[in-house]
Amino acid sequence: MYCPKVNNTFDGTLITSWFTMKTLLSSALIYICATNWWPSQIPSILGTNATLLPPTAFNPWPLPVHAATNGSDDVSFRSCSYIDPNGYKWTAPVGTITDGASIPTICLSFVGDRRDERWRGASLLHDAYCGKANSSGNSYHKATWQKVNRMFYNACLAGGTPQAKAAAMYSAVWLFNKRWTYLDNTSPEYLAALSRAGGSTLSENTSSAVANLAKMQASQVVISAQKVEIKRLDVNDVSATLKIQQIKEVVDYAKADSLTLPRLDSILVAASQRLKTGNVLVLPGQ
């Protein structure tokens, strides 16, 4: 059989025959099937703004999940981590249960396929930190609700989710999900409260009783402030219909303008106050 030689190169190696090319293609197909890497390629080929290569912010990739026993959720069979833009590492422990979207069912119309690879990793991490099914997990409520939601948004983008869709998903968890308090003793808020409680004068010679009292007072100040903020932004009594309308406003605005996360946060804060009056915060759209 005659096989013409070609002078193309692949990864620095000269392909000298069609037989060699066939072998390479067969090996690639075997790799794709063995690693489940193919799904992350398809969206880019179809022009859906997904990443061409597996997102490097997640480890491992593909996600180590399989169907849970209830048939509707997924569960991780290995721990999975994500590094956010600030370099902070988020971890979903082995056994983390996720529904694949991490947003209320009523908002799924904004998402489509809840198991889409572009936001599946973000959902796994988000559910690890605030999904009720993971309340006994090591990551559950181990950060403030604001930071967990921001991680979700950034992880969606890292997976290749279009910004407008990521904004819709972020708005959904912001408006519908429950909130909680969390004490981070390295946060500026805590350190400032500790200083006001006399913590700035603590030394090795300070008695443990005095030191513990200052820390307890600082903790109470921080947690009380968080509770006030949660109450101020609470929209649990607002109808789901109004919240959905608000999310649509955010989506239209995101399509017309390049939203930064701080800007999106400020919009949702203003929207929460507007929704409490029974109205939607109207934003300039397309």
Side-chain angles (χ1 to χ4, degrees), residues 176-232:
F176 281 92
N177 283 19
K178 291 185 177 181
R179 293 153 185 176
W180 62 92
T181 60
Y182 173 72
L183 180 65
D184 179 1
N185 58 15
T186 65
S187 68
E189 294 80 9
Y190 175 81
L191 295 177
L194 183 61
S195 177
R196 291 193 297 270
S200 58
T201 62
L202 298 180
S203 67
E204 293 182 357
N205 297 324
T206 304
S207 68
S208 58
V210 173
N212 288 337
L213 178 61
K215 292 176 182 178
M216 182 182 69
Q217 291 175 342
S219 299
Q220 290 175 341
V221 169
V222 171
I223 295 300
S224 295
Q226 290 183 6
K227 289 180 178 179
V228 170
E229 182 69 356
I230 289 174
K231 185 176 181 180
R232 183 176 77 88

Short mmCIF file of all heavy atoms in Angstrom, two decimals, residues 176-232:
data_model
loop_
_atom_site.label_atom_id
_atom_site.label_comp_id
_atom_site.label_asym_id
_atom_site.label_seq_id
_atom_site.Cartn_x
_atom_site.Cartn_y
_atom_site.Cartn_z
N PHE A 176 -31.06 33.76 46.96
CA PHE A 176 -31.88 32.65 47.44
C PHE A 176 -31.25 31.85 48.58
O PHE A 176 -31.96 31.31 49.43
CB PHE A 176 -32.22 31.70 46.29
CG PHE A 176 -33.33 32.17 45.40
CD1 PHE A 176 -33.06 32.93 44.27
CD2 PHE A 176 -34.66 31.86 45.69
CE1 PHE A 176 -34.08 33.36 43.44
CE2 PHE A 176 -35.69 32.29 44.86
CZ PHE A 176 -35.40 33.05 43.74
N ASN A 177 -29.92 31.72 48.59
CA ASN A 177 -29.28 30.84 49.58
C ASN A 177 -29.26 31.45 50.97
O ASN A 177 -29.27 32.68 51.13
CB ASN A 177 -27.85 30.51 49.15
CG ASN A 177 -27.81 29.46 48.05
OD1 ASN A 177 -28.80 29.23 47.37
ND2 ASN A 177 -26.66 28.83 47.88
N LYS A 178 -29.20 30.57 51.96
CA LYS A 178 -29.13 31.02 53.35
C LYS A 178 -27.74 31.56 53.66
O LYS A 178 -26.76 31.24 53.00
CB LYS A 178 -29.48 29.86 54.29
CG LYS A 178 -30.94 29.44 54.21
CD LYS A 178 -31.25 28.37 55.24
CE LYS A 178 -32.73 28.00 55.20
NZ LYS A 178 -33.08 26.96 56.21
N ARG A 179 -27.68 32.39 54.72
CA ARG A 179 -26.41 32.99 55.12
C ARG A 179 -26.06 32.56 56.54
O ARG A 179 -26.92 32.11 57.29
CB ARG A 179 -26.52 34.52 55.01
CG ARG A 179 -26.65 34.96 53.55
CD ARG A 179 -27.37 36.27 53.41
NE ARG A 179 -27.58 36.59 51.99
CZ ARG A 179 -28.23 37.62 51.55
NH1 ARG A 179 -28.78 38.47 52.42
NH2 ARG A 179 -28.39 37.83 50.26
N TRP A 180 -24.82 32.74 56.91
CA TRP A 180 -24.34 32.27 58.20
C TRP A 180 -23.22 33.19 58.68
O TRP A 180 -22.68 33.99 57.93
CB TRP A 180 -23.83 30.83 58.08
CG TRP A 180 -22.66 30.69 57.14
CD1 TRP A 180 -21.33 30.74 57.46
CD2 TRP A 180 -22.72 30.48 55.73
NE1 TRP A 180 -20.56 30.59 56.34
CE2 TRP A 180 -21.39 30.42 55.26
CE3 TRP A 180 -23.76 30.33 54.80
CZ2 TRP A 180 -21.07 30.23 53.91
CZ3 TRP A 180 -23.46 30.14 53.46
CH2 TRP A 180 -22.12 30.09 53.03
N THR A 181 -22.90 33.06 59.96
CA THR A 181 -21.78 33.81 60.53
C THR A 181 -20.55 32.91 60.58
O THR A 181 -20.67 31.68 60.69
CB THR A 181 -22.10 34.30 61.95
OG1 THR A 181 -22.37 33.17 62.79
CG2 THR A 181 -23.30 35.23 61.94
N TYR A 182 -19.40 33.53 60.49
CA TYR A 182 -18.15 32.77 60.57
C TYR A 182 -17.07 33.69 61.13
O TYR A 182 -16.89 34.82 60.66
CB TYR A 182 -17.72 32.26 59.19
CG TYR A 182 -16.36 31.61 59.19
CD1 TYR A 182 -16.15 30.36 59.77
CD2 TYR A 182 -15.26 32.27 58.65
CE1 TYR A 182 -14.90 29.78 59.80
CE2 TYR A 182 -13.99 31.70 58.67
CZ TYR A 182 -13.82 30.45 59.24
OH TYR A 182 -12.57 29.88 59.27
N LEU A 183 -16.34 33.20 62.12
CA LEU A 183 -15.29 33.99 62.74
C LEU A 183 -13.92 33.61 62.15
O LEU A 183 -13.46 32.48 62.30
CB LEU A 183 -15.27 33.76 64.26
CG LEU A 183 -14.20 34.55 65.02
CD1 LEU A 183 -14.49 36.04 64.92
CD2 LEU A 183 -14.13 34.11 66.47
N ASP A 184 -13.33 34.57 61.47
CA ASP A 184 -11.98 34.41 60.93
C ASP A 184 -11.05 35.28 61.77
O ASP A 184 -11.07 36.51 61.67
CB ASP A 184 -11.95 34.85 59.46
CG ASP A 184 -10.56 34.74 58.85
OD1 ASP A 184 -9.62 34.30 59.56
OD2 ASP A 184 -10.40 35.09 57.67
N ASN A 185 -10.23 34.64 62.62
CA ASN A 185 -9.39 35.42 63.53
C ASN A 185 -8.16 36.02 62.87
O ASN A 185 -7.28 36.55 63.56
CB ASN A 185 -8.98 34.59 64.75
CG ASN A 185 -8.24 33.32 64.37
OD1 ASN A 185 -7.78 33.16 63.23
ND2 ASN A 185 -8.14 32.40 65.32
N THR A 186 -8.11 35.94 61.53
CA THR A 186 -7.05 36.64 60.79
C THR A 186 -7.61 37.80 59.96
O THR A 186 -6.85 38.50 59.29
CB THR A 186 -6.30 35.68 59.84
OG1 THR A 186 -7.20 35.22 58.82
CG2 THR A 186 -5.75 34.48 60.60
N SER A 187 -8.92 37.98 60.01
CA SER A 187 -9.56 39.02 59.21
C SER A 187 -9.28 40.40 59.78
O SER A 187 -9.08 40.56 61.00
CB SER A 187 -11.07 38.79 59.13
OG SER A 187 -11.67 39.01 60.40
N PRO A 188 -9.28 41.42 58.93
CA PRO A 188 -9.08 42.79 59.42
C PRO A 188 -10.12 43.20 60.45
O PRO A 188 -9.82 43.93 61.41
CB PRO A 188 -9.19 43.64 58.15
CG PRO A 188 -8.83 42.70 57.04
CD PRO A 188 -9.36 41.38 57.46
N GLU A 189 -11.36 42.73 60.27
CA GLU A 189 -12.44 43.07 61.20
C GLU A 189 -12.15 42.54 62.61
O GLU A 189 -12.32 43.25 63.61
CB GLU A 189 -13.78 42.52 60.71
CG GLU A 189 -14.29 43.12 59.41
CD GLU A 189 -13.61 42.53 58.18
OE1 GLU A 189 -12.87 41.52 58.31
OE2 GLU A 189 -13.83 43.07 57.09
N TYR A 190 -11.69 41.28 62.66
CA TYR A 190 -11.40 40.68 63.96
C TYR A 190 -10.20 41.35 64.62
O TYR A 190 -10.21 41.67 65.82
CB TYR A 190 -11.15 39.19 63.81
CG TYR A 190 -10.73 38.52 65.10
CD1 TYR A 190 -11.66 38.14 66.05
CD2 TYR A 190 -9.37 38.29 65.37
CE1 TYR A 190 -11.27 37.55 67.25
CE2 TYR A 190 -8.97 37.69 66.56
CZ TYR A 190 -9.92 37.32 67.50
OH TYR A 190 -9.53 36.74 68.68
N LEU A 191 -9.15 41.58 63.84
CA LEU A 191 -7.94 42.18 64.40
C LEU A 191 -8.21 43.59 64.91
O LEU A 191 -7.66 44.00 65.94
CB LEU A 191 -6.83 42.19 63.34
CG LEU A 191 -6.34 40.80 62.89
CD1 LEU A 191 -5.30 40.94 61.79
CD2 LEU A 191 -5.77 40.02 64.08
N ALA A 192 -9.07 44.33 64.19
CA ALA A 192 -9.42 45.67 64.64
C ALA A 192 -10.22 45.61 65.94
O ALA A 192 -10.00 46.40 66.86
CB ALA A 192 -10.22 46.40 63.56
N ALA A 193 -11.17 44.64 66.01
CA ALA A 193 -11.97 44.48 67.22
C ALA A 193 -11.10 44.03 68.39
O ALA A 193 -11.29 44.47 69.54
CB ALA A 193 -13.08 43.46 66.98
N LEU A 194 -10.12 43.19 68.10
CA LEU A 194 -9.21 42.73 69.15
C LEU A 194 -8.37 43.88 69.69
O LEU A 194 -8.13 44.00 70.90
CB LEU A 194 -8.31 41.62 68.60
CG LEU A 194 -7.34 40.97 69.60
CD1 LEU A 194 -8.11 40.29 70.73
CD2 LEU A 194 -6.44 39.97 68.88
N SER A 195 -7.95 44.75 68.78
CA SER A 195 -7.17 45.91 69.19
C SER A 195 -7.99 46.83 70.09
O SER A 195 -7.50 47.33 71.12
CB SER A 195 -6.69 46.67 67.96
OG SER A 195 -5.98 47.83 68.32
N ARG A 196 -9.25 47.04 69.74
CA ARG A 196 -10.13 47.90 70.54
C ARG A 196 -10.42 47.28 71.91
O ARG A 196 -10.69 48.00 72.89
CB ARG A 196 -11.44 48.16 69.80
CG ARG A 196 -11.29 49.03 68.57
CD ARG A 196 -12.65 49.51 68.07
NE ARG A 196 -13.49 48.39 67.64
CZ ARG A 196 -13.52 47.89 66.41
NH1 ARG A 196 -12.74 48.40 65.48
NH2 ARG A 196 -14.32 46.89 66.11
N ALA A 197 -10.36 45.93 71.96
CA ALA A 197 -10.62 45.25 73.23
C ALA A 197 -9.37 45.15 74.10
O ALA A 197 -9.40 44.52 75.16
CB ALA A 197 -11.16 43.84 72.96
N GLY A 198 -8.31 45.79 73.65
CA GLY A 198 -7.07 45.76 74.43
C GLY A 198 -6.10 44.72 73.94
O GLY A 198 -5.03 44.51 74.55
N GLY A 199 -6.42 44.06 72.85
CA GLY A 199 -5.56 43.00 72.34
C GLY A 199 -4.23 43.50 71.84
O GLY A 199 -3.25 42.75 71.80
N SER A 200 -4.17 44.79 71.46
CA SER A 200 -2.91 45.33 70.94
C SER A 200 -1.85 45.44 72.02
O SER A 200 -0.67 45.58 71.73
CB SER A 200 -3.16 46.70 70.32
OG SER A 200 -3.70 47.59 71.29
N THR A 201 -2.29 45.37 73.29
CA THR A 201 -1.33 45.48 74.39
C THR A 201 -0.97 44.13 74.98
O THR A 201 -0.22 44.05 75.96
CB THR A 201 -1.91 46.37 75.51
OG1 THR A 201 -3.11 45.76 76.03
CG2 THR A 201 -2.25 47.75 74.99
N LEU A 202 -1.52 43.05 74.38
CA LEU A 202 -1.24 41.72 74.90
C LEU A 202 0.22 41.36 74.66
O LEU A 202 0.81 41.69 73.64
CB LEU A 202 -2.13 40.68 74.23
CG LEU A 202 -3.65 40.83 74.44
CD1 LEU A 202 -4.39 39.72 73.71
CD2 LEU A 202 -3.98 40.81 75.93
N SER A 203 0.80 40.66 75.62
CA SER A 203 2.18 40.20 75.49
C SER A 203 2.30 38.83 76.13
O SER A 203 1.32 38.27 76.63
CB SER A 203 3.13 41.18 76.17
OG SER A 203 2.92 41.19 77.58
N GLU A 204 3.50 38.29 76.14
CA GLU A 204 3.72 36.98 76.74
C GLU A 204 3.44 37.02 78.25
O GLU A 204 3.15 35.99 78.85
CB GLU A 204 5.16 36.53 76.49
CG GLU A 204 5.47 36.24 75.02
CD GLU A 204 6.89 35.76 74.84
OE1 GLU A 204 7.64 35.72 75.84
OE2 GLU A 204 7.26 35.43 73.69
N ASN A 205 3.54 38.21 78.82
CA ASN A 205 3.33 38.33 80.26
C ASN A 205 1.86 38.53 80.62
O ASN A 205 1.50 38.54 81.79
CB ASN A 205 4.15 39.50 80.82
CG ASN A 205 5.65 39.28 80.65
OD1 ASN A 205 6.12 38.15 80.78
ND2 ASN A 205 6.38 40.37 80.38
N THR A 206 1.01 38.73 79.61
CA THR A 206 -0.42 38.92 79.87
C THR A 206 -1.03 37.60 80.32
O THR A 206 -0.76 36.55 79.73
CB THR A 206 -1.14 39.41 78.61
OG1 THR A 206 -0.50 40.60 78.14
CG2 THR A 206 -2.60 39.71 78.90
N SER A 207 -1.83 37.65 81.33
CA SER A 207 -2.45 36.42 81.83
C SER A 207 -3.40 35.85 80.79
O SER A 207 -3.97 36.58 79.98
CB SER A 207 -3.21 36.70 83.12
OG SER A 207 -4.34 37.51 82.87
N SER A 208 -3.54 34.53 80.79
CA SER A 208 -4.41 33.87 79.82
C SER A 208 -5.85 34.33 79.98
O SER A 208 -6.60 34.42 79.01
CB SER A 208 -4.31 32.35 79.98
OG SER A 208 -4.68 31.96 81.30
N ALA A 209 -6.24 34.64 81.21
CA ALA A 209 -7.62 35.08 81.46
C ALA A 209 -7.88 36.41 80.77
O ALA A 209 -8.93 36.62 80.14
CB ALA A 209 -7.88 35.19 82.95
N VAL A 210 -6.94 37.34 80.87
CA VAL A 210 -7.09 38.65 80.24
C VAL A 210 -7.08 38.50 78.72
O VAL A 210 -7.89 39.13 78.02
CB VAL A 210 -5.96 39.60 80.71
CG1 VAL A 210 -6.01 40.91 79.91
CG2 VAL A 210 -6.08 39.88 82.19
N ALA A 211 -6.16 37.69 78.21
CA ALA A 211 -6.06 37.48 76.77
C ALA A 211 -7.34 36.85 76.23
O ALA A 211 -7.86 37.26 75.18
CB ALA A 211 -4.86 36.61 76.45
N ASN A 212 -7.85 35.85 76.92
CA ASN A 212 -9.06 35.17 76.47
C ASN A 212 -10.26 36.10 76.50
O ASN A 212 -11.15 36.01 75.65
CB ASN A 212 -9.33 33.94 77.34
CG ASN A 212 -8.34 32.82 77.08
OD1 ASN A 212 -7.74 32.75 76.01
ND2 ASN A 212 -8.17 31.94 78.06
N LEU A 213 -10.31 37.00 77.51
CA LEU A 213 -11.41 37.95 77.60
C LEU A 213 -11.40 38.90 76.41
O LEU A 213 -12.44 39.17 75.81
CB LEU A 213 -11.31 38.75 78.90
CG LEU A 213 -12.39 39.83 79.10
CD1 LEU A 213 -13.78 39.20 79.13
CD2 LEU A 213 -12.12 40.63 80.39
N ALA A 214 -10.21 39.38 76.03
CA ALA A 214 -10.09 40.28 74.88
C ALA A 214 -10.52 39.57 73.59
O ALA A 214 -11.22 40.14 72.75
CB ALA A 214 -8.66 40.79 74.76
N LYS A 215 -10.10 38.32 73.43
CA LYS A 215 -10.45 37.55 72.24
C LYS A 215 -11.96 37.28 72.19
O LYS A 215 -12.57 37.34 71.13
CB LYS A 215 -9.68 36.23 72.22
CG LYS A 215 -8.18 36.40 72.01
CD LYS A 215 -7.45 35.07 72.10
CE LYS A 215 -5.94 35.26 71.94
NZ LYS A 215 -5.21 33.98 72.07
N MET A 216 -12.54 37.00 73.35
CA MET A 216 -13.98 36.74 73.40
C MET A 216 -14.77 38.00 73.05
O MET A 216 -15.74 37.94 72.28
CB MET A 216 -14.39 36.26 74.80
CG MET A 216 -15.86 35.92 74.92
SD MET A 216 -16.33 35.42 76.59
CE MET A 216 -16.13 36.99 77.45
N GLN A 217 -14.33 39.13 73.55
CA GLN A 217 -15.01 40.39 73.25
C GLN A 217 -14.89 40.72 71.76
O GLN A 217 -15.85 41.16 71.13
CB GLN A 217 -14.42 41.52 74.09
CG GLN A 217 -14.74 41.42 75.57
CD GLN A 217 -14.04 42.48 76.40
OE1 GLN A 217 -13.06 43.10 75.96
NE2 GLN A 217 -14.52 42.71 77.62
N ALA A 218 -13.73 40.49 71.19
CA ALA A 218 -13.52 40.76 69.77
C ALA A 218 -14.40 39.83 68.93
O ALA A 218 -15.01 40.26 67.94
CB ALA A 218 -12.06 40.56 69.40
N SER A 219 -14.49 38.59 69.32
CA SER A 219 -15.32 37.62 68.59
C SER A 219 -16.79 38.03 68.61
O SER A 219 -17.48 37.96 67.60
CB SER A 219 -15.16 36.22 69.20
OG SER A 219 -13.82 35.78 69.12
N GLN A 220 -17.26 38.47 69.78
CA GLN A 220 -18.65 38.89 69.91
C GLN A 220 -18.95 40.10 69.03
O GLN A 220 -20.01 40.17 68.41
CB GLN A 220 -18.96 39.20 71.37
CG GLN A 220 -18.98 37.97 72.28
CD GLN A 220 -19.15 38.33 73.75
OE1 GLN A 220 -18.93 39.47 74.16
NE2 GLN A 220 -19.56 37.35 74.55
N VAL A 221 -18.01 41.03 68.96
CA VAL A 221 -18.20 42.22 68.13
C VAL A 221 -18.32 41.84 66.66
O VAL A 221 -19.21 42.31 65.95
CB VAL A 221 -17.03 43.21 68.33
CG1 VAL A 221 -17.07 44.31 67.28
CG2 VAL A 221 -17.09 43.81 69.73
N VAL A 222 -17.44 40.96 66.21
CA VAL A 222 -17.44 40.55 64.79
C VAL A 222 -18.70 39.80 64.44
O VAL A 222 -19.35 40.07 63.42
CB VAL A 222 -16.19 39.70 64.49
CG1 VAL A 222 -16.29 39.10 63.08
CG2 VAL A 222 -14.92 40.54 64.60
N ILE A 223 -19.08 38.83 65.27
CA ILE A 223 -20.27 38.02 64.99
C ILE A 223 -21.53 38.89 65.04
O ILE A 223 -22.43 38.73 64.21
CB ILE A 223 -20.38 36.85 65.99
CG1 ILE A 223 -19.22 35.88 65.80
CG2 ILE A 223 -21.71 36.13 65.80
CD1 ILE A 223 -19.13 35.26 64.41
N SER A 224 -21.59 39.81 65.99
CA SER A 224 -22.76 40.70 66.08
C SER A 224 -22.87 41.56 64.83
O SER A 224 -23.97 41.77 64.29
CB SER A 224 -22.64 41.60 67.32
OG SER A 224 -22.71 40.84 68.51
N ALA A 225 -21.74 42.06 64.34
CA ALA A 225 -21.74 42.89 63.13
C ALA A 225 -22.20 42.06 61.92
O ALA A 225 -22.93 42.56 61.07
CB ALA A 225 -20.35 43.47 62.89
N GLN A 226 -21.78 40.82 61.86
CA GLN A 226 -22.20 39.95 60.76
C GLN A 226 -23.69 39.69 60.80
O GLN A 226 -24.37 39.68 59.76
CB GLN A 226 -21.43 38.62 60.82
CG GLN A 226 -19.96 38.75 60.46
CD GLN A 226 -19.25 37.41 60.46
OE1 GLN A 226 -19.86 36.36 60.61
NE2 GLN A 226 -17.93 37.43 60.29
N LYS A 227 -24.24 39.50 61.99
CA LYS A 227 -25.67 39.27 62.12
C LYS A 227 -26.48 40.49 61.68
O LYS A 227 -27.53 40.36 61.04
CB LYS A 227 -26.02 38.91 63.57
CG LYS A 227 -25.54 37.52 63.98
CD LYS A 227 -25.91 37.22 65.43
CE LYS A 227 -25.48 35.82 65.84
NZ LYS A 227 -25.82 35.54 67.27
N VAL A 228 -25.98 41.67 62.01
CA VAL A 228 -26.64 42.90 61.59
C VAL A 228 -26.64 43.00 60.07
O VAL A 228 -27.65 43.37 59.45
CB VAL A 228 -25.95 44.13 62.21
CG1 VAL A 228 -26.47 45.42 61.58
CG2 VAL A 228 -26.16 44.16 63.72
N GLU A 229 -25.52 42.68 59.45
CA GLU A 229 -25.40 42.75 57.99
C GLU A 229 -26.31 41.72 57.32
O GLU A 229 -26.96 42.01 56.31
CB GLU A 229 -23.94 42.52 57.57
CG GLU A 229 -23.68 42.63 56.08
CD GLU A 229 -23.81 44.05 55.54
OE1 GLU A 229 -24.19 44.96 56.32
OE2 GLU A 229 -23.53 44.25 54.34
N ILE A 230 -26.38 40.53 57.88
CA ILE A 230 -27.26 39.49 57.33
C ILE A 230 -28.71 39.95 57.37
O ILE A 230 -29.47 39.77 56.41
CB ILE A 230 -27.07 38.17 58.10
CG1 ILE A 230 -25.72 37.54 57.76
CG2 ILE A 230 -28.21 37.19 57.78
CD1 ILE A 230 -25.38 36.31 58.57
N LYS A 231 -29.11 40.54 58.49
CA LYS A 231 -30.48 41.03 58.62
C LYS A 231 -30.76 42.16 57.64
O LYS A 231 -31.83 42.25 57.04
CB LYS A 231 -30.74 41.50 60.06
CG LYS A 231 -32.17 41.92 60.31
CD LYS A 231 -32.39 42.28 61.77
CE LYS A 231 -33.84 42.67 62.03
NZ LYS A 231 -34.06 43.02 63.47
N ARG A 232 -29.78 43.04 57.44
CA ARG A 232 -29.96 44.17 56.54
C ARG A 232 -30.16 43.72 55.10
O ARG A 232 -30.94 44.31 54.34
CB ARG A 232 -28.74 45.10 56.61
CG ARG A 232 -28.85 46.36 55.75
CD ARG A 232 -27.65 47.26 55.95
NE ARG A 232 -26.48 46.78 55.25
CZ ARG A 232 -26.18 47.10 53.98
NH1 ARG A 232 -26.99 47.91 53.30
NH2 ARG A 232 -25.08 46.65 53.42
#
